[in-house]
Amino acid sequence: MSAGEPAFNRPALEQLLGKRFFYAPAFSLYGGVAGLYDYGPPGCALQANVLDMWRKHFVLEEDMLEVDCSIMTPAEVLKTSGHVDRFSDWMCKDLKTGEIFRADHLVENVLEARLDGDKIARNAPVETKADKDEKKKKKAAKVTAVRLEDATVQTYKEILAQIDNYSGPELGELMRTHQIKSPETGNDISEPVVFNLMFASSIGPTGQFPGFLRPETAQGQFLNFKRLLEFNNDRMPFASAQIGRSFRNEISPREGLLRVREFTMAEIEHYVDPAKKDHARFHEVKDYKLNILPASVQLSGKTELLSITVGEAVEKKIIDNQTLGYFLVRIHMFLTKIGINPDRVRFRQHMANEMAHYACDCWDAEIHTSYGWKECVGCADRSAYDLTVHSNKTGEKLVVRERLPEPLVEEKLQLEINKKVFGPRFKKNAKAVEDHLAALDVAALEQCKQAHDSTGSFAVAVNGESFDITKDLISSFEKVSITTHIREFTPNVIEPSFGIGRILYCLMEHVYWTRPEGEARGVLSFPPVVAPTKCLLVPLSTNEAFVPVLSQVSAMLRRSGVSSKVDDSGASIGRRYARNDELGTPFGITVDFQSVQDNTVTLRERDSTKQIRESVDVIVELLKDMCEGKTSWTEVSAKYPAFVSQEVAE
């Protein structure tokens, strides 16, 4: 925020969003439920337009395969994927009142409050955030002016820089070391415990078929991999995509749409050869600059951003591969296209302890808001984790078979068992031991071969039991020449995952401002392409003479695909425009008595309030082009003369 710029007024924005019914707490007549929200007409339209842009930017431009998979998911699927055991946060509670906290958020809030108190004690400026609502105040730690030792300040800053990297026991140790108590009561806090974030349910009338509401849309895409690969004519690489609802039973929902229990996700699963993670279009984006925060910087206790081209970041292995780098750029392009301020976007790399159980590398697109930096898009390299675990569980091969241009001849160590002896020896365990031997990698086979040659036997552990493999159980154990015509591999997956509700809230913060003149008037400066309604039709008065022209313009806009609404209330034109500035409507058409005579109308642009006057046909065509992003108001206002007064009176 620059000097002289007014502080962001979050309560004013939230009042506007509530008044205009962008969204509101769900079930409010019954007291509401934390973390659940309903979208009103403008919120629905805004979300639909953002998702339409997402489809065009990703699904259409990248030739992705869109699917729509079931929300209700059998427990066995999520057990296999690791979500039942590891999809969790660390929870703690006030030992006297029972109030629940998410452990990392509690540590973060208390230490930030102490640092603010230190700044006050030193008469240093405190970075102000917008006033919090009453519920937020209750959760926040009290700020008390107490000067801290310089070493303590540095320690707190280092902890906050890597707050996402701590395990539950480490968070507990931080609470004890730094005497962190319940913010409101000062009571002791329990040790952090694991809390699974999924909503459990059952499928069918017996209650004996457990299931969950999905915590992500990804698993349905992975389970349909074979069908998608066949649909794509077995060509690699390719991507699937899905937009849909997901559910997470958040410990402490807060900050409006930023942390909720039911939300819309848009996820991409890009399947790539693990040996070739280059991207065919990387050359188009290699010179694109991003602001990034690598894990190494965070682990040093710092948060300084590195501005670097994605090409250089990939070359230096800061970003692991071209495909990951390509999608980071495409994510940034999408966010800026829908109206997010590019100067308030950064990409933060996950540290080891915060990495999802399925990921080998992950970057978050974080957007700066009045609440601080908030993760809105995750871009993870899930390696071959999901396809591998589902294949192992079901026995279905989720692989790609690729014909080699030239046959590959390799010398391989091959172990063949003597089935006549093997079966009777191990009985019911024979199949499991045989499968284990067949799955041994080259290094393990070499170790078994050495033991076999020197001692005449070797041992393997299968399902917690040890089995001795003696010479009489082996027919041959030698290197053989194998010619391969087909290469078989399990694809790796690069996954961009978008939290649509979070993006919408960040967008509304970024485009909100107030007009300085007179009474503060709120404006939402949505780009025309995502604005809920594109155009307001305003008759000069309620005179019946305006009805034919209004009907004509409205019909032409509908045929052109430009959403509009008529405001023919008795309020002044200025008040009617102000109401729609709050809704983010970018354009307004005024029908007056000159319109009745010569079929011309004025076109007003929301942010500048400047107007032009042209024929209805020209105005409708200009609106269509601006709403589709083919031209801009800057170009239009440079081409057509400004309109400053009415030409014909009644």
Side-chain angles (χ1 to χ4, degrees):
M1 187 174 292
S2 61
E5 186 179 341
F8 177 76
N9 190 338
R10 190 199 305 150
L13 170 62
E14 291 179 344
Q15 182 184 29
L16 183 155
L17 297 176
K19 179 175 70 172
R20 297 302 178 198
F21 195 15
F22 276 82
Y23 65 92
F27 315 111
S28 56
L29 292 183
Y30 286 84
V33 179
L36 299 178
Y37 288 89
D38 295 331
Y39 285 16
C44 281
L46 177 64
Q47 177 174 255
N49 292 338
V50 167
L51 290 176
D52 181 60
M53 284 296 298
W54 189 88
R55 278 193 171 94
K56 290 174 180 174
H57 186 81
F58 290 106
V59 178
L60 296 182
E61 189 169 335
E62 306 288 348
D63 198 22
M64 294 176 178
L65 309 178
E66 188 171 1
V67 295
D68 186 2
C69 302
S70 174
I71 289 174
M72 181 60 74
T73 307
E76 187 177 19
V77 172
L78 293 168
K79 177 70 174 175
T80 300
S81 69
H83 287 80
V84 170
D85 297 322
R86 288 175 283 185
F87 193 73
S88 55
D89 280 334
W90 292 96
M91 176 181 74
C92 57
K93 65 179 180 179
D94 185 313
L95 288 175
K96 291 185 178 179
T97 68
E99 185 176 6
I100 300 296
F101 302 94
R102 189 169 135 178
D104 58 335
H105 289 170
L106 176 63
V107 173
E108 184 177 27
N109 289 342
V110 170
L111 296 190
E112 284 181 344
R114 290 179 185 177
L115 288 175
D116 285 345
D118 174 74
K119 289 179 180 178
I120 294 171
R122 295 171 185 254
N123 293 318
V126 177
E127 183 181 351
T128 59
K129 293 185 178 181
D131 292 336
K132 302 169 177 63
D133 60 27
E134 289 305 314
K135 185 172 181 182
K136 175 69 177 174
K137 287 179 183 176
K138 182 179 177 183
K139 291 281 187 182
K142 296 180 178 66
V143 176
T144 305
V146 176
R147 181 164 183 151
L148 304 172
E149 296 291 335
D150 291 346
T152 302
V153 170
Q154 184 59 32
T155 298
Y156 286 178
K157 288 181 177 179
E158 291 174 359
I159 291 170
L160 292 172
Q162 50 183 317
I163 190 66
D164 294 318
N165 196 40
Y166 293 110
S167 65
E170 288 171 335
L171 288 167
E173 182 62 31
L174 286 174
M175 291 178 191
R176 289 188 296 275
T177 301
H178 300 287
Q179 298 182 330
I180 292 175
K181 310 287 185 181
S182 174
E184 183 163 1
T185 65
N187 295 331
D188 288 337
I189 296 293
S190 70
E191 284 295 304
V193 295
V194 170
F195 176 76
N196 191 282
L197 297 175
M198 292 193 296
F199 283 100
S201 185
S202 60
I203 302 171
T206 66
Q208 296 178 358
F209 190 179
F212 293 95
L213 298 178
R214 66 185 180 193
E216 61 177 15
T217 71
Q219 297 306 314
Q221 298 184 63
F222 298 138
L223 297 180
N224 282 293
F225 170 74
K226 282 188 70 174
R227 295 185 180 96
L228 290 165
L229 179 63
E230 182 181 357
F231 184 88
N232 203 48
N233 298 319
D234 295 322
R235 290 180 294 113
M236 285 282 292
F238 75 94
S240 61
Q242 182 171 194
I243 297 170
R245 288 285 194 177
S246 294
F247 304 82
R248 298 181 185 179
N249 195 11
E250 291 286 352
I251 293 170
S252 53
R254 57 179 186 165
E255 300 173 350
L257 298 182
L258 295 177
R259 188 165 295 280
V260 295
R261 288 172 166 146
E262 177 184 352
F263 49 94
T264 299
M265 298 184 77
E267 290 192 301
I268 295 163
E269 311 301 335
H270 181 90
Y271 303 96
V272 63
D273 186 338
K276 295 180 288 187
K277 289 189 176 179
D278 292 348
H279 196 285
R281 296 178 60 187
F282 186 73
H283 65 280
E284 298 176 19
V285 303
K286 65 183 178 64
D287 296 324
Y288 197 99
K289 270 197 170 183
L290 297 174
N291 290 325
I292 65 173
L293 182 56
S296 57
V297 174
Q298 299 168 71
L299 289 170
S300 68
K302 299 177 181 176
T303 56
E304 286 81 7
L305 299 181
L306 172 64
S307 181
I308 189 172
T309 66
V310 70
E312 185 181 355
V314 170
E315 184 180 347
K316 292 181 175 179
K317 301 303 287 185
I318 300 172
I319 297 172
D320 185 69
N321 57 75
Q322 286 189 8
T323 300
L324 193 57
Y326 176 80
F327 276 109
L328 294 185
V329 172
R330 293 289 293 159
I331 290 165
H332 192 272
M333 288 177 171
F334 169 74
L335 293 175
T336 55
K337 187 182 292 186
I338 64 171
I340 297 293
N341 183 345
D343 296 331
R344 298 173 69 184
V345 178
R346 72 180 186 186
F347 288 88
R348 186 183 69 82
Q349 187 177 30
H350 280 207
M351 294 169 283
N353 276 353
E354 65 172 317
M355 198 85 71
H357 63 271
Y358 48 72
C360 65
D361 191 16
C362 186
W363 292 80
D364 285 342
E366 295 185 333
I367 302 175
H368 190 259
T369 72
S370 62
Y371 292 104
W373 289 100
K374 293 298 172 183
E375 168 205 348
C376 292
V377 188
C379 194
D381 185 337
R382 297 179 76 126
S383 63
Y385 174 84
D386 299 274
L387 296 180
T388 300
V389 296
H390 288 305
S391 181
N392 291 342
K393 178 66 177 177
T394 63
E396 189 74 42
K397 295 183 77 172
L398 301 177
V399 297
V400 174
R401 292 172 58 81
E402 177 184 77
R403 179 167 290 278
L404 297 172
E406 297 289 337
L408 180 65
V409 180
E410 294 179 291
E411 289 284 318
K412 285 189 176 181
L413 189 60
Q414 191 174 71
L415 185 158
E416 290 188 7
I417 63 171
N418 183 350
K419 293 193 175 184
K420 290 183 179 180
V421 181
F422 203 88
R425 176 78 57 86
F426 295 130
K427 298 184 175 63
K428 65 179 182 179
N429 294 313
K431 180 69 166 63
V433 177
E434 182 181 353
D435 290 345
H436 178 84
L437 293 173
L440 292 174
D441 60 24
V442 175
L445 275 175
E446 290 286 358
Q447 289 181 351
C448 293
K449 173 67 171 169
Q450 291 174 8
H452 172 268
D453 292 345
S454 61
T455 67
S457 69
F458 60 90
V460 294
V462 180
N463 297 328
E465 189 175 349
S466 181
F467 298 90
D468 286 326
I469 311 299
T470 55
K471 282 191 174 183
D472 61 318
L473 295 172
I474 298 175
S475 296
S476 67
F477 202 168
E478 302 294 338
K479 282 193 174 181
V480 296
S481 180
I482 298 177
T483 301
T484 305
H485 296 273
I486 301 292
R487 174 178 171 244
E488 190 174 273
F489 64 90
T490 303
N492 279 199
V493 176
I494 307 296
E495 179 194 68
S497 176
F498 297 72
I500 299 301
R502 289 186 175 191
I503 292 172
L504 294 182
Y505 178 77
C506 294
L507 172 61
M508 289 185 283
E509 269 208 12
H510 284 205
V511 301
Y512 174 71
W513 56 287
T514 56
R515 298 196 190 279
E517 67 273 8
E519 182 183 351
R521 290 163 47 193
V523 182
L524 290 170
S525 292
F526 295 119
V529 72
V530 298
T533 303
K534 313 301 185 189
C535 184
L536 173 70
L537 300 179
V538 182
L540 191 64
S541 68
T542 57
N543 193 303
E544 289 294 320
F546 300 142
V547 173
V549 181
L550 280 172
S551 299
Q552 175 198 3
V553 176
S554 182
M556 291 176 69
L557 289 174
R558 283 197 302 273
R559 287 195 295 271
S560 298
V562 177
S563 61
S564 64
K565 75 171 188 175
V566 177
D567 187 345
D568 55 4
S569 65
S572 69
I573 285 184
R575 183 170 291 277
R576 282 182 274 172
Y577 274 133
R579 285 198 297 242
N580 283 272
D581 289 347
E582 291 182 340
L583 288 165
T585 307
F587 303 109
I589 289 176
T590 303
V591 175
D592 55 22
F593 289 101
Q594 184 174 339
S595 306
V596 176
Q597 294 185 11
D598 61 10
N599 210 38
T600 64
V601 291
T602 63
L603 177 66
R604 171 194 185 262
E605 194 270 336
R606 173 197 58 216
D607 297 347
S608 66
T609 70
K610 297 292 175 56
Q611 299 183 77
I612 62 171
R613 186 175 198 110
E614 295 293 335
S615 70
V616 168
D617 289 341
V618 170
I619 293 296
V620 169
E621 189 63 29
L622 289 175
L623 274 172
K624 183 175 184 294
D625 288 346
M626 286 189 287
C627 291
E628 292 177 353
K630 295 177 181 177
T631 188
S632 67
W633 175 255
T634 301
E635 294 169 330
V636 168
S637 59
K639 182 177 179 180
Y640 295 92
F643 175 74
V644 292
S645 63
Q646 304 293 336
E647 298 296 327
V648 177
E650 183 175 3

